[in-house]
Amino acid sequence: MSDPLLSSLRIAASGLQAQSTRMRIVSENIANTQTTGQTPGSDPYQRKTVSFQSELDRLTGAEMVSVRNVGRDAAPFVVEHDPGNPAADENGYVKMPNVRMLVEMADMRDANRAYEANVQVVKQAREIINMTIDLLRN
């Protein structure tokens, strides 16, 4: 059996890594909200999504979180009339990315809060470990 405090640190670290990946993907989506295709009628940037999975850590026997995959959102592209755009088709319509800023901001806030919660777990575990070391010294 492994040390519960060390297990909690490993669990929190897996959460930090997963949420960090989620924040990176959300940042990519936000950065590409206006990225159209290169040629007329081509597809624009397609929103990325992150899915997580739970997996057993054999060393600690604890459930860890990890990124299952980074996928693509199947939502349809928004079509706008912009005849001057190089990606416009013969009728002047351009396919715009299926990224919605409100959804991305909500995802970013949720990932940020989950990240902060995992940081607090790490801080608390460190504090308890330090208190234990202090008790052993005295």
Side-chain angles (χ1 to χ4, degrees):
M1 178 178 219
S2 70
D3 180 16
L5 287 174
L6 294 177
S7 294
S8 66
L9 286 171
R10 289 180 56 84
I11 293 167
S14 73
L16 287 169
Q17 188 172 16
Q19 294 305 326
S20 177
T21 300
R22 183 178 178 193
M23 284 191 273
R24 182 181 56 81
I25 295 301
V26 169
S27 297
E28 285 180 27
N29 289 340
I30 291 171
N32 287 292
T33 56
Q34 297 296 314
T35 304
T36 61
Q38 299 279 331
T39 59
S42 64
D43 285 343
Y45 175 83
Q46 191 173 13
R47 180 179 183 261
K48 292 181 181 180
T49 59
V50 178
S51 59
F52 300 115
Q53 68 183 4
S54 177
E55 57 185 38
L56 180 66
D57 181 38
R58 293 181 184 181
L59 180 65
T60 62
E63 291 286 326
M64 304 288 188
V65 65
S66 66
V67 174
R68 175 182 293 159
N69 72 338
V70 176
R72 301 283 179 169
D73 189 349
F77 297 119
V78 176
V79 178
E80 292 181 2
H81 189 261
D82 185 7
N85 192 312
D89 63 13
E90 63 276 355
N91 298 322
Y93 288 98
V94 178
K95 291 182 195 174
M96 298 301 288
N98 58 352
V99 177
R100 294 184 309 180
M101 188 61 77
L102 188 60
V103 171
E104 299 306 321
M105 295 305 290
D107 280 352
M108 179 66 81
R109 189 179 74 186
D110 189 46
N112 188 32
R113 287 187 176 169
Y115 191 91
E116 288 174 357
N118 283 302
V119 167
Q120 288 301 317
V121 169
V122 171
K123 285 180 180 179
Q124 290 296 316
R126 261 186 25 203
E127 187 176 317
I128 292 171
I129 290 169
N130 286 335
M131 287 170 49
T132 303
I133 291 171
D134 288 344
L135 284 172
L136 292 172
R137 285 184 193 159
N138 296 330

